[in-house]
Amino acid sequence: MAPAAPPAPDELDDLAHRARAGESAALDELLAALRPRILHICRGVLPYTPDAEDACQEAMLSVATKLGSWHGQGRVTSWVHVVALNAARSTYRRMKNQAVASGAAGDPASPALDRPDPRTTSVIAGTRLDLLEAMETLEREHPQFVEPLLLRDVYGLAYADIAEQTGAPLGTVKAQIHHGRKLVRPMLRESS
C-alpha cells in the first residue's frame, strides 16, 4: 500500500482555518501534515539531523501556539516557512552561544576542547557556516534584507509569495533581495 499523498495547499489552508477556529482534531492533522515540510526547511539550515529535529520541534510548537498570528491571507505554508526558518536560525544561535560559552569556561589545554560536543557544536562545523555567519552579519547591519533573501535564495519561494508573507510590495521585495545578495556575496567562501 502506497503512503498517502501530502495534503494539497488548499487542504492545508482549510485545516489551518479550522484549527484557528478551535478544532483540536484539525490542529493535530495540520501539525502531522506540516512536520515533514518543517523538518525539510530546518535541515536546509542545520545539516546535522538531531539539530534540525530540535529546530523542527521548536517550529511545531510555534505553529501550534501562534497559529492565530497567521492572518488567514495567503498560504499557511508560506507562513510556516518563516516560522521554521526562524526556529532553525534560533537553534543555530543557541548552539553557537553554548559552544562559545563552554569553550570560554574550560581550560584551553583541556583535550575535551579538541573534540567538540556534537550536541552543541555540530552546526558550527556544518557545511553552511559561511551562509549562517553571513546572515548573522546581515541581520545586525541590515535586518530588512535577511528574511526576503533567505526565503528566496535558500527556500526558493516565489517573489510574489515573499511579498505576500512579508507584507511588502513586490518591487520592494525584489530590491531587498538584490541588495541583500550584493552584501552577502563577499562574505561567502568560494566553493571548491
Side-chain angles (χ1 to χ4, degrees):
M1 181 175 194
D10 288 340
E11 293 173 294
L12 290 173
D13 290 346
D14 180 57
L15 283 171
H17 284 293
R18 290 177 22 221
R20 282 181 63 211
E23 191 178 318
S24 63
L27 179 61
D28 291 343
E29 193 175 336
L30 177 67
L31 291 173
L34 290 174
R35 188 180 188 290
R37 179 184 301 257
I38 291 170
L39 184 57
H40 177 75
I41 293 166
C42 293
R43 280 186 179 142
V45 176
L46 302 163
Y48 184 61
T49 299
D51 300 341
E53 289 172 351
D54 286 348
C56 179
Q57 285 302 105
E58 183 180 324
M60 297 279 289
L61 181 61
S62 292
V63 168
T65 59
K66 297 177 182 174
L67 188 58
S69 67
W70 173 59
H71 300 294
Q73 300 168 339
R75 296 280 184 202
V76 72
T77 53
S78 295
W79 177 76
V80 167
H81 263 87
V82 174
V83 171
L85 176 63
N86 289 339
R89 292 178 63 226
S90 172
T91 299
Y92 168 77
R93 277 190 216 104
R94 183 177 63 250
M95 291 169 46
K96 180 179 174 183
N97 290 339
Q98 288 173 344
V100 169
S102 68
D107 174 13
S110 168
L113 292 177
D114 294 336
R115 289 172 291 151
D117 182 350
R119 293 170 297 168
T120 59
T121 59
S122 59
V123 72
I124 303 305
T127 58
R128 304 302 300 268
L129 178 63
D130 61 339
L131 176 62
L132 292 170
E133 290 299 325
M135 289 299 110
E136 293 291 314
T137 300
L138 189 63
E139 187 169 43
R140 279 191 306 275
E141 297 173 7
H142 304 282
Q144 71 275 20
F145 301 140
V146 174
E147 184 178 3
L149 182 62
L150 286 173
L151 290 173
R152 178 66 186 155
D153 288 354
V154 175
Y155 296 105
L157 286 183
Y159 291 108
D161 291 338
I162 297 167
E164 185 177 298
Q165 183 60 40
T166 61
L170 183 60
T172 301
V173 165
K174 288 181 177 183
Q176 289 174 328
I177 291 167
H178 173 75
H179 292 299
R181 285 174 178 158
K182 283 174 63 175
L183 292 168
V184 166
R185 196 170 291 125
M187 293 183 250
L188 299 178
R189 289 185 295 239
E190 291 294 321
S191 51
S192 21

